[in-house]
Amino acid sequence: MPCASASLAVWTAAWLAGSAAADDVLDALGPWSEAHDVVAADAATAAVTDLPTPDHAGAGVATLLVLARRRVSPLGPDARLVMPAPGDVRGLPGPEALRIAAMEAGECAVLAGAGLAVVPAPVADGVLRWTVHLVDEVPPAAHPSLSDAEHDLRSSVRDAADTLAAMDVAKPRAGVREEIAAALRRRPDASWPAGTPGRPLRVLQHADEVEAIVIAASGDDPGGAVSSSATLARTDALRPLATAVRAARVAAVAETVRALTAA
């Protein structure tokens, strides 16, 4: 799983579709934090949802599930992952408070069928808080299909490698393979619902690997001297790759939700 919002989106969709139990959703969030709580973004949202405001103790995730079921559209569950970044806010609905929070977190679970968007943020050691926003309209999915996203990710890897090599800013450094492997081992070992297709899992695994490479490629040897122009060139070359990683993750989650709720 790429992030906590992906876990919430996929498992909530599975629960709303009747293919997962509430306890399964709670267990699936475990790798992301020891404890989770849920609050409304503001007093107006609290009045509609009966959730506590941020200045009070949060409710449990089970309360969010019940709220989503109560509000879900007759058209069925529709849960999405949104991973906004500066210059790329595809799929991110308003209001402005939601946009600001999601940009800061870099992720958001949009329960479009229930008119809710939920943003995670750590608030204490071992506690992840989910802040619920009301959304009236959700933009149509603007990311590519899973097959296109997978192709774009592979192409971006090749393009970035060629660009960095041409700029002569892709010199190898000692221990980089171990650094990448360690970054992958540190990722939470999150679970998927039964019936999840294999292809989205492979795409997400590839996205994890590429992200680890991007992080490693962004660093330098301790004590190494890299000019500011070379650093800027490297950043520009890696930016499309980071965008492709986000798009691949969003597309993989969308395909998983589609498969789990198609019945």
Side-chain angles (χ1 to χ4, degrees):
M1 282 291 194
C3 60
S5 294
S7 291
L8 183 68
V10 168
W11 281 95
T12 299
W15 181 76
L16 289 172
S19 57
D23 286 345
D24 295 332
V25 183
L26 304 182
D27 291 343
L29 294 176
W32 299 105
S33 182
E34 295 177 10
H36 300 257
D37 69 12
V38 180
V39 298
D42 49 43
T45 303
V48 173
T49 62
D50 292 328
L51 291 170
T53 51
D55 55 333
H56 291 81
V61 174
T63 303
L64 174 60
L65 296 180
V66 173
L67 173 65
R69 172 160 287 173
R70 191 175 78 225
R71 292 175 54 88
V72 72
S73 164
L75 298 178
D78 178 4
R80 310 175 189 177
L81 170 66
V82 178
M83 302 192 75
D88 182 8
V89 294
R90 288 174 289 178
L92 183 62
E96 187 64 21
L98 168 61
R99 288 177 168 263
I100 293 172
M103 285 290 292
E104 183 175 337
E107 61 180 272
C108 175
V110 179
L111 309 181
L116 303 172
V118 196
V119 181
V123 292
D125 188 24
V127 180
L128 189 65
R129 169 159 289 181
W130 297 88
T131 300
V132 175
H133 300 255
L134 296 174
V135 292
D136 294 328
E137 296 183 6
V138 178
H143 282 272
S145 66
L146 182 60
S147 59
D148 287 344
E150 184 177 20
H151 177 269
D152 291 347
L153 182 59
R154 296 184 185 279
S155 297
S156 295
V157 171
R158 292 193 297 269
D159 292 346
D162 291 344
T163 301
L164 292 174
M167 293 176 178
D168 198 27
V169 292
K171 298 182 182 301
R173 68 177 189 274
V176 68
R177 291 184 181 275
E178 292 77 9
E179 181 181 335
I180 292 170
L184 291 172
R185 286 194 300 270
R186 287 194 297 270
R187 296 196 63 81
D189 186 17
S191 61
W192 289 81
T196 298
R199 188 175 188 182
L201 294 179
R202 293 192 297 272
V203 171
L204 283 180
Q205 181 179 3
H206 188 204
D208 285 349
E209 294 166 352
V210 173
E211 182 182 60
I213 293 170
V214 170
I215 294 172
S218 301
D220 300 304
D221 281 319
V226 179
S227 68
S228 58
S229 60
T231 299
L232 180 60
R234 181 176 58 194
T235 299
D236 288 343
L238 293 174
R239 186 176 293 112
L241 194 50
T243 299
V245 166
R246 293 197 310 275
R249 287 171 167 168
V250 170
V253 168
E255 176 60 23
T256 301
V257 169
R258 186 202 64 76
L260 294 174
T261 60

